[in-house]
Amino acid sequence: MAPLDALAMVEAPAADARADAEELNRRYAGASTLTLIEASVRDLFPGRVALVSSFGSESAVLLHQLAQVDRSIPVIFLDTGKLFPETLAYRDRLAADFGLTDVRSVQPDPARLSLKDQHGALWMTNPDLCCHIRKTEPLQRALQGFDAWFTGRKRFQSATRAALPLFEADGERVKVNPLINWSSDELKAYAIRHALPEHPLVSRGFPSIGCVPCTTKVAPGEDARAGRWRGTDKIECGIHTDLEIDGSGI
């Protein structure tokens, strides 16, 4: 019985998170984005929620709305060590413009990089493992102590995101997706209405922006995320999916 009891204790938090997410989806169906953010920050997860932002091409809208609610909410930024300098500058500009007081730039573990990516070229041979070390692992550390986190994912972005719920279980945490129903045109209109600065790479043909070696320009008519991991079957970095990482002993 001991192993079963231990297993139940491990699975219980995840089960609770799934039940919580299902109930919250029923309760907040049809709620506005600002209502979802306010409820999450003030009522549902007070002092225990963070926003994870890439400070990418569509990040300004959610960051701006969060700032209307509480500028001190932690904002976690995954600095992989391979980002465009324009993204780092954009992070600093939005944080200053919106008055965000707790932007946390989280970096990969140097020991893990030394062990698995000594020459910085892991992205060429195993991009899933590269993302795991540079994004997933740092995020797992950064989210310790939080019960929930906001993402900026939208349903229109890809087929894998077309059925996103407002709330979803993420292990023992709840993931909140306030922008799922926004369209690309609505994001652009909001940015224009509030004079939000645009990521400097968007005008240069990068509608979706990740790490330098895994991001290319997108041609007219292509999907907005076509420039991410071009030439491979990879479509997500891994922080929102359970990727099978090639090579044991990750």
Side-chain angles (χ1 to χ4, degrees):
M1 284 297 294
L4 292 176
D5 291 342
L7 179 60
M9 291 176 65
V10 171
E11 292 182 341
D16 289 345
R18 287 193 294 271
D20 289 345
E22 291 171 2
E23 170 58 28
L24 291 172
N25 279 316
R26 288 191 292 268
R27 188 188 310 176
Y28 290 96
S32 70
T33 298
L34 197 58
T35 295
L36 289 169
I37 296 173
E38 289 176 335
S40 297
V41 169
R42 296 173 179 168
D43 302 321
L44 302 175
F45 315 104
R48 307 282 290 182
V49 62
L51 186 152
V52 177
S53 177
S54 67
F55 285 83
S57 59
E58 296 174 347
S59 297
V61 170
L62 184 54
L63 289 163
H64 183 263
Q65 292 223 344
L66 182 76
Q68 312 311 305
V69 176
D70 188 343
R71 296 179 179 181
S72 69
I73 295 299
V75 177
I76 297 171
F77 171 73
L78 300 174
D79 184 354
T80 65
K82 292 189 174 295
L83 298 176
F84 288 90
E86 290 88 345
T87 296
L88 301 179
Y90 191 55
R91 170 202 59 192
D92 296 342
R93 178 177 181 183
L94 291 187
D97 285 359
F98 300 164
L100 302 172
T101 62
D102 191 6
V103 176
R104 306 178 183 185
S105 293
V106 182
Q107 298 177 330
D109 181 353
R112 291 285 283 152
L113 292 179
S114 178
L115 179 65
K116 294 294 184 179
D117 195 13
Q118 183 177 4
H119 302 294
L122 183 60
W123 61 272
M124 299 178 67
T125 57
N126 195 336
D128 285 346
L129 182 56
C130 186
C131 286
H132 186 81
I133 293 172
R134 294 179 180 274
K135 286 189 173 184
T136 306
E137 290 180 354
L139 180 60
Q140 289 170 348
R141 294 196 304 271
L143 286 175
Q144 291 178 8
F146 292 102
D147 293 333
W149 54 294
F150 293 108
T151 90
R153 294 175 298 164
K154 279 77 65 176
R155 287 174 174 168
F156 77 82
Q157 289 176 317
S158 66
T160 59
R161 299 182 176 185
L164 277 176
L166 292 172
F167 298 88
E168 59 182 319
D170 178 44
E172 63 184 26
R173 298 182 183 88
V174 172
K175 196 183 298 183
V176 189
N177 307 307
L179 298 182
I180 55 169
N181 291 317
W182 286 57
S183 68
S184 178
D185 288 342
E186 288 171 327
L187 291 169
K188 292 175 183 176
Y190 183 97
I192 292 171
R193 185 164 65 251
H194 294 279
L196 305 184
E198 183 179 73
H199 192 296
L201 290 179
V202 170
S203 63
R204 290 158 54 183
F206 295 86
S208 181
I209 303 157
C211 292
V212 173
C214 299
T215 304
T216 61
K217 290 184 179 181
V218 172
E222 283 190 306
D223 182 86
R225 290 176 63 84
R228 304 290 294 277
W229 306 285
R230 189 182 291 278
T232 74
D233 59 1
K234 183 174 174 63
I235 57 175
E236 293 279 359
C237 68
I239 65 173
H240 297 298
T241 57
D242 295 323
L243 290 176
E244 290 293 333
I245 307 299
D246 294 331
S248 61
I250 63 173

